[in-house]
Amino acid sequence: MLEINEKSDVEAPSAPSKTEREFTVKERSQWRMALRRFLRHRVATASVFVFLLLILFAFVGPLVWKYDYINYTNDISQPPTLKHPFGTDSTGFDQFAVVMRGTAQSLKVAFIIGIVGTLAGALWGVVAGYIGTWVDSGLMRVADLILTIPALALAAALARSGGGTLVLIGLVLAAVSAPYVARVVRGVVLSLREREFIEASRALGASHWRIMLRHLLPNTVPVLLVNATLLIAQGILAETALSYVGFGIQPPDTSLGVLITTAQGALDSRPWLFYFPGIFIILIALSVNFIGDGLRDALDPRQTRERR
Amino acid sequence: MTIDLEVDPTKKPDRRDDDQEALLVVENLTVTFPTDDGDVKAVRGVSYTVRAGESIGIVGESGSGKSVSSLAVMGLLPRSARINGSVRFRGQELLGMDETEYSRLRGNRIAMIFQDPLTSLNPVYTIGYQIAEAVLAHNKVSHDQARKRAIELLGIVGIPFPEQRVDSFPHELSGGMRQRVVIAIAMTNNPDVIIADEPTTALDVTVQAQVLEALEAARDATGAALVLITHDLGVIAGHAKRICVMYAGKLVETGSTEDVFYRPRMPYTLGLLGSLPRMDQQRQERLTPIKGSPPSLLNLPPGCPFTPRCPIAEEICDREEPALEEVAGSGHAAACHFRNRTADASASDLFSSESETAAAPRGDDEVSAQ
Amino acid sequence: MLVFVIRRLLISIPVLLASTVLTFVIVKLSGDPLLYLKQRQPRPPQSFIDQQAHTLWLDRSWPVQYWHWISNLLLHGYWGPPVQGHNDVGSEIVSAFGVTARLVIVSVVIALVLAVLTGVISAVKQYSLTDYTTTTIGFVFLSMPVFWFAILLKQGGLWFNSKTGTHFFGTIGERSIPPITDTSFGAQFGDIMGHLILPVIVLGLVGYASWSRFTRASMLEVLNSDYVRLARSKGLSRRRVLVRHALRTALIPLTTVTALDVAALLGGAIITEHVFQWNGMGTLFLTALNTIDFNVMLGWLIVTATIVILFNLVADILYGILDPRIRHA
């Protein structure tokens, strides 16, 4: 999308003569155009707000809410009321505070997965795609191999003996997701490598590093952004799945996945323990997915979206 | 060897242009596309007539609206396009016609050839299949007969060893051959009109000649009228009897090929011709390109759209858009307020760099007819 | 064509072999199989633990262990002993596989058919209400934790059962336990179906959501292509253009995507089986992972890897059949 960094189109002259007229549309930089396209995607824009609200809820909420997740109250197993909007559990913990904490932890894991996974995958893919030859084959064989094993099984096996801390789970899931990103990025790099502007740069004497950093990497940013959102959304669901099979985040750490796993037996008697954390997981994943969709629309100039 | 395809005997008229019925009448065609930046007026009132067997060329640069107007005739524009005016084929109004009926006309009475041969053909079907499909869509014949017709057509357009080639896939053929297959598809049912939208633009110069030859062969075999759309004046000169020049969505000059080439009236046409290197003329002066770029069709101000690039523009050009009016009464019309002044002008008279013209926009590219 | 297939087959073999190595490493990393002994109260004598280790070849170096396992498997068809108990690892895997295969195959078929239908309709009626509704529903399904939804479905099934007084939705296991007395084919078939519905919905859901999005995107791209435009200009009917030209070409990349998703589906089966308590591969793996029953784990991982590689091979071949450009490359 970016090609060599140039501005687009002709400017109107500043000193019009008698036959001059403003014929062209206002010039815009590519990023601003992408932003405009993103904002046109109403659901994605709304999702940005929802996601920001979720972040506020998780990280600022505990500072203003009267209960916390460490000290239990005297209200046992209460359904949602004004005092306890999400009810309480059998020990008396206020679920509103508990879900805040769970959301915060889940968001942290999701971000680790998203950022580490994308960066690792990007590096993997760029090196493989640019250098080519046996390095490429080798790196991609490894990626394919990892992808032959069901991610859940792989993650569970790797996480099993690690202690179940938040960071570890995040890193394990990031490692499992990186090959996918590597494949995608490698594809982009391969197609870019053949483009003439790379050849031109080489002809001008640019070093391999310079090409990789100044030309290839910026052009992979759109793909990376979209994939990062994908990883974040899938990451949160993966963490949930890991918790369910028992190999995810272990107590005393908590997360939304842990919450619904422990609440599954209570579905009949205390459904609020099951529903609220689940809804929050859906909100996070859904908003991130929509944002990713909006980013894809915004950053892919080939899509011509006609007005309805 | 010809196949009996239940061809209507009244469909193949002689190739005499005058006194023939008007097959295709386009009247005041306008096409507008809604975009988020506003309405893009791609075609702003185009009228022309195509008679049986005649050949007309539509010339213009990218963005002039020439392709859009022919897609409108074929009914192939996206649903969001707003089309007004009238397109009549043999008296029948095409705009707003029911899709099933339209399908009966397409590929049958009116056929189209597209620009990029590398993407025009479906990669998963053989070329024989794709030609036979066109046969079977409009004729109740057996698959065998359709296949025979396909082989016959491949022979007409000049594909060697058509009996073997008929089972090839598109990617096994070169660009020029693929374009000839597209021509074969277009001529399958002996249409009355063939619209060729930039048929040679994507091809090498050497291949262009072959493709144009195939196009002529198609016309000979079917007696069809030809609407040839291109920005290449050289291609037009050899294959069209009449020329329409388009600029910014409107026709700015129409006439016979001789009239337009040797006695152009509209400054844009003059500029086009002046920027064309000619081998057949003794040339003492430099080539004179037209400075500037074509206007955006989003915010067209009133007046003639060529004004900013026109060397003889005056105040009236800013205010009033000139109508396409006849000059000499011989069917030669030009849309310029000074159509009578430019009678014997040459391009270098108007466009030479030393003459006092309006300041050209900065950051421009030079525009030539290529 | 044959050359193409043979070439692909030959490449798969080293991939499979490499996969066995990776599998082995992962299982080794997952924990100590004898931990259960070491954590027992009172702790068994060290000599006993050492003897167990020796019987299970755990005291040799990794390469030796690997060779022992793989040569047994390939040359003798022997999957190795279980860490605890006396079950035959091989037959356990085989029977579990049959159960899971039923679930996965039915889920894939239904999800695929629905996804293609929805994707095509969404693409053809782009921006319509149908399009937005199905796209949004797809997004929601993609953003839901699978087991959360499964549990809700299970509750729903039980509620339905109680309201109608039947056992229509079998929510536990893949068949009724104890087995129903009516041995007629109809009753048996109905029993299996009743137990199949909810798990199929759960497992097929994510597949449906992602495949229908993919089909829609692929169709949209194809519908705007030059050759579809040419097909229309030939005067072909809308239906023919849609099916013979657009769909035919748009489905090609879907084959690859579906094959690649097989791995994900096998992972999803783990959860689905656990929720509905099926005795399939998923449950088998979880149990083995919990106890580090390493030979079972190895067997499981190798079988799934083989299936995934096989499906990728099938997808490659299918792609070659559908797209002549690949065949002739």
Side-chain angles (χ1 to χ4, degrees):
Chain A
M1 168 194 146
L2 280 173
E3 300 265 1
I4 312 186
N5 299 315
E6 282 186 65
K7 293 218 253 183
S8 54
D9 263 329
V10 179
E11 305 180 66
S14 44
S17 75
K18 67 176 195 271
T19 50
E20 296 257 321
R21 275 180 287 201
E22 181 84 44
F23 271 125
T24 52
V25 186
K26 236 172 46 151
E27 173 205 338
R28 289 193 189 90
S29 83
Q30 276 171 318
W31 290 111
R32 240 178 300 160
M33 275 167 62
L35 185 64
R36 266 191 99 231
R37 279 198 291 263
F38 183 84
L39 291 173
R40 234 183 280 147
H41 198 295
R42 292 178 302 212
V43 180
T45 320
S47 299
V48 174
F49 285 113
V50 170
F51 192 67
L52 287 175
L53 277 176
L54 286 166
I55 293 184
L56 280 176
F57 173 75
F59 294 103
V60 177
L63 302 174
V64 299
W65 182 241
K66 50 182 185 265
Y67 297 111
D68 61 40
Y69 70 97
I70 306 177
N71 301 305
Y72 48 86
T73 70
N74 290 321
D75 308 307
I76 311 272
S77 294
Q78 279 200 1
T81 59
L82 276 177
K83 186 179 178 198
H84 297 288
F86 286 3
T88 60
D89 65 10
S90 54
T91 320
F93 287 111
D94 169 56
Q95 290 304 296
F96 199 63
V98 169
V99 169
M100 271 188 211
R101 174 73 181 161
T103 311
Q105 296 297 86
S106 289
L107 282 173
K108 284 189 217 164
V109 177
F111 272 113
I112 294 179
I113 300 172
I115 296 178
V116 174
T118 309
L119 286 180
L123 198 63
W124 194 337
V126 166
V127 169
Y130 186 67
I131 298 187
T133 71
W134 61 270
V135 173
D136 178 25
S137 295
L139 286 173
M140 282 304 117
R141 285 293 143 259
V142 174
D144 287 341
L145 275 179
I146 298 181
L147 289 173
T148 58
I149 303 180
L152 186 59
L154 182 56
L158 286 176
R160 193 199 180 286
S161 51
T165 61
L166 187 145
V167 174
L168 179 86
I169 300 292
L171 289 177
V172 165
L173 287 173
V176 164
S177 323
Y180 171 76
V181 177
R183 260 231 190 115
V184 173
V185 169
R186 172 185 177 264
V188 172
V189 170
L190 280 184
S191 71
L192 283 177
R193 206 174 56 159
E194 305 309 318
R195 297 260 283 272
E196 279 111 1
F197 72 97
I198 296 290
E199 249 184 86
S201 297
R202 292 287 296 144
L204 287 171
S207 71
H208 287 300
W209 277 116
R210 187 176 167 82
I211 292 182
M212 279 204 269
L213 288 173
R214 273 280 287 157
H215 294 289
L216 286 177
L217 213 52
N219 276 302
T220 59
V221 166
V223 167
L224 287 183
L225 280 178
V226 173
N227 270 290
T229 59
L230 200 67
L231 254 57
I232 293 177
Q234 283 182 351
I236 234 192
L237 296 174
E239 184 273 314
T240 310
L242 263 187
S243 290
Y244 178 66
V245 295
F247 297 107
I249 297 180
Q250 306 289 339
D253 247 336
T254 187
S255 77
L256 292 172
V258 171
L259 290 176
I260 50 179
T261 305
T262 41
Q264 53 177 306
L267 186 55
D268 273 330
S269 47
R270 284 158 296 163
W272 59 90
L273 295 178
F274 188 73
Y275 281 118
F276 285 115
I279 292 176
F280 270 78
I281 297 179
I282 298 180
L283 278 179
I284 298 177
L286 197 58
S287 57
V288 172
N289 269 329
F290 277 134
I291 293 176
D293 202 44
L295 279 177
R296 194 178 301 127
D297 274 353
L299 297 170
D300 184 359
R302 283 177 296 138
Q303 291 209 25
T304 48
R305 212 171 133 94
E306 299 146 7
R307 214 167 54 189
R308 284 151 258 145
Chain B
M1 170 182 95
T2 44
I3 325 272
D4 229 341
L5 283 182
E6 295 171 11
V7 170
D8 185 347
T10 61
K11 271 175 16 166
K12 261 216 212 183
D14 289 310
R15 294 257 312 262
R16 262 179 281 282
D17 320 67
D18 310 358
D19 302 333
Q20 291 291 344
E21 38 152 344
L23 274 184
L24 182 67
V25 178
V26 176
E27 213 173 330
N28 211 16
L29 179 69
T30 60
V31 179
T32 315
F33 294 106
T35 69
D36 290 285
D37 287 319
D39 280 349
V40 173
K41 303 184 183 59
V43 181
R44 304 181 301 122
V46 164
S47 310
Y48 59 86
T49 308
V50 181
R51 295 190 158 66
E54 78 169 331
S55 56
I56 74 167
I58 304 185
V59 184
E61 33 191 300
S62 321
S64 55
K66 44 194 207 303
S67 296
V68 174
S69 47
S70 41
L71 285 174
V73 168
M74 290 286 284
L76 291 176
L77 286 174
R79 258 177 299 193
S80 62
R82 292 200 296 268
I83 315 175
N84 286 310
S86 147
V87 175
R88 283 195 300 281
F89 179 74
R90 289 179 178 269
Q92 195 185 7
E93 176 64 50
L94 295 183
L95 297 181
M97 194 159 77
D98 165 61
E99 181 64 24
T100 326
E101 274 202 65
Y102 226 133
S103 303
R104 255 178 254 148
L105 280 183
R106 287 193 210 118
N108 200 11
R109 301 269 68 80
I110 317 179
M112 192 153 172
I113 297 167
F114 295 97
Q115 177 174 337
D116 189 353
L118 296 177
T119 55
S120 291
L121 293 170
N122 194 324
V124 305
Y125 295 124
T126 63
I127 57 175
Y129 176 93
Q130 298 189 51
I131 303 178
E133 217 184 5
V135 175
L136 294 166
H138 300 280
N139 301 284
K140 281 198 186 7
V141 294
S142 72
H143 285 276
D144 249 352
Q145 287 177 297
R147 185 187 159 86
K148 287 207 194 88
R149 173 74 171 153
I151 298 177
E152 178 196 6
L153 288 166
L154 287 177
I156 297 180
V157 294
I159 305 249
F161 304 112
E163 316 81 26
Q164 288 145 352
R165 284 300 193 175
V166 76
D167 290 321
S168 308
F169 286 98
H171 66 272
E172 296 174 295
L173 302 173
S174 69
M177 301 240 275
R178 282 190 237 192
Q179 194 66 308
R180 282 188 264 180
V181 172
V182 174
I183 294 175
I185 292 177
M187 61 176 284
T188 305
N189 298 309
N190 297 321
D192 295 326
V193 180
I194 296 181
I195 304 178
D197 187 359
E198 309 248 24
T200 55
T201 308
L203 303 166
D204 292 338
V205 171
T206 45
V207 178
Q208 277 181 17
Q210 296 170 343
V211 169
L212 290 169
E213 231 180 80
L215 198 54
E216 286 299 332
R219 283 190 69 209
D220 278 334
T222 62
L226 176 68
V227 177
L228 181 57
I229 303 169
T230 178
H231 59 249
D232 189 335
L233 289 169
V235 167
I236 282 280
H239 298 273
K241 275 276 163 58
R242 294 182 51 82
I243 298 188
C244 302
V245 181
M246 264 188 91
Y247 188 77
K250 260 192 149 156
L251 294 182
V252 295
E253 185 149 8
T254 62
S256 72
T257 310
E258 284 89 39
D259 273 341
V260 174
F261 262 74
Y262 293 115
R263 294 174 284 280
R265 292 308 182 108
M266 207 273 176
Y268 174 62
T269 321
L270 274 151
L272 275 184
L273 293 164
S275 56
L276 190 66
R278 301 278 288 274
M279 297 241 301
D280 58 331
Q281 281 180 349
Q282 280 289 58
R283 233 200 152 101
Q284 313 287 31
E285 309 112 2
R286 310 173 74 108
L287 292 179
T288 51
I290 314 176
K291 290 196 174 42
S293 333
S296 149
L297 297 166
L298 241 126
N299 299 310
L300 271 180
C304 178
F306 190 60
T307 312
R309 311 162 77 188
C310 184
I312 59 173
E314 290 178 21
E315 215 220 312
I316 182 178
C317 304
D318 265 326
R319 282 189 288 115
E320 219 181 279
E321 188 163 10
L324 189 71
E325 269 166 35
E326 276 205 4
V327 171
S330 62
H332 184 187
C336 179
H337 293 297
F338 312 119
R339 58 180 71 81
N340 296 308
R341 268 198 241 159
T342 51
D344 289 305
S346 78
S348 49
D349 293 339
L350 298 181
F351 283 94
S352 85
S353 23
E354 290 94 46
S355 72
E356 270 160 30
T357 61
R362 275 196 298 272
D364 50 44
D365 318 330
E366 298 193 334
V367 177
S368 69
Q370 251 74 318
Chain C
M1 188 64 209
L2 194 62
V3 174
F4 178 78
V5 172
I6 291 183
R7 226 177 354 169
R8 287 282 185 275
L9 251 168
L10 288 179
I11 293 183
S12 306
I13 296 177
V15 175
L16 195 49
L17 284 173
S19 180
T20 62
V21 177
L22 180 66
T23 300
F24 185 80
V25 170
I26 292 172
V27 171
K28 275 287 150 211
L29 288 176
S30 64
D32 179 7
L34 294 180
L35 195 62
Y36 79 102
L37 276 183
K38 298 174 186 167
Q39 288 181 332
R40 216 186 251 176
Q41 297 291 345
R43 196 163 189 264
Q46 188 59 38
S47 58
F48 180 69
I49 296 179
D50 289 342
Q51 188 198 35
Q52 283 297 98
H54 188 78
T55 322
L56 295 172
W57 283 63
L58 291 172
D59 51 354
R60 321 283 205 282
S61 68
W62 282 19
V64 172
Q65 289 187 46
Y66 169 75
W67 179 249
H68 171 76
W69 166 64
I70 198 74
S71 55
N72 262 330
L73 184 60
L74 290 179
L75 301 177
H76 308 295
Y78 179 59
W79 299 80
V83 168
Q84 302 176 50
H86 302 281
N87 303 327
D88 178 26
V89 172
S91 56
E92 261 191 33
I93 293 184
V94 168
S95 68
F97 184 73
V99 171
T100 304
R102 196 159 79 211
L103 175 63
V104 170
I105 291 177
V106 175
S107 304
V108 167
V109 168
I110 293 184
L112 203 54
V113 168
L114 284 179
V116 170
L117 274 174
T118 325
V120 169
I121 295 180
S122 279
V124 169
K125 291 192 197 299
Q126 196 185 13
Y127 302 138
S128 69
L129 189 61
T130 323
D131 182 23
Y132 278 126
T133 323
T134 43
T135 317
T136 315
I137 292 181
F139 261 107
V140 172
F141 284 154
L142 275 177
S143 314
M144 240 180 350
V146 173
F147 87 87
W148 190 83
F149 183 66
I151 292 178
L152 286 180
L153 266 189
K154 203 169 153 186
Q155 284 296 105
L158 287 170
W159 175 86
F160 181 84
N161 282 351
S162 66
K163 280 288 187 282
T164 58
T166 63
H167 287 287
F168 180 65
F169 286 115
T171 53
I172 297 185
E174 60 274 17
R175 302 181 98 115
S176 299
I177 297 168
I180 57 175
T181 46
D182 187 346
T183 51
S184 70
F185 179 74
Q188 292 288 328
F189 188 71
D191 185 44
I192 294 182
M193 280 298 126
H195 282 94
L196 200 55
I197 300 181
L198 292 180
V200 161
I201 293 180
V202 170
L203 190 60
L205 208 61
V206 177
Y208 163 79
S210 92
W211 294 334
S212 74
R213 268 189 80 201
F214 189 83
T215 311
R216 177 182 182 274
S218 190
M219 271 299 272
L220 280 179
E221 211 183 294
V222 168
L223 283 174
N224 283 322
S225 67
D226 279 351
Y227 54 84
V228 165
R229 197 173 52 171
L230 186 99
R232 286 190 69 200
S233 77
K234 282 200 275 196
L236 304 177
S237 70
R238 282 228 78 172
R239 242 194 75 222
R240 198 187 166 92
V241 173
L242 199 62
V243 176
R244 289 295 186 118
H245 287 268
L247 191 58
R248 170 79 167 71
T249 336
L251 283 183
I252 296 178
L254 188 63
T255 57
T256 322
V257 169
T258 315
L260 287 178
D261 280 345
V262 166
L265 276 168
L266 289 171
I270 296 179
I271 293 190
T272 314
E273 287 179 11
H274 198 249
V275 172
F276 291 99
Q277 291 165 255
W278 278 39
N279 290 316
M281 294 280 280
T283 317
L284 187 68
F285 180 74
L286 279 182
T287 320
L289 185 56
N290 263 305
T291 54
I292 316 262
D293 198 340
F294 62 97
N295 278 314
V296 177
M297 282 174 68
L298 282 171
W300 190 95
L301 286 170
I302 251 341
V303 167
T304 40
T306 312
I307 295 176
V308 170
I309 292 175
L310 195 69
F311 266 88
N312 282 355
L313 183 66
V314 167
D316 267 351
I317 295 178
L318 209 58
Y319 206 111
I321 294 179
L322 292 173
D323 190 341
R325 292 173 291 184
I326 305 293
R327 241 185 282 157
H328 296 160

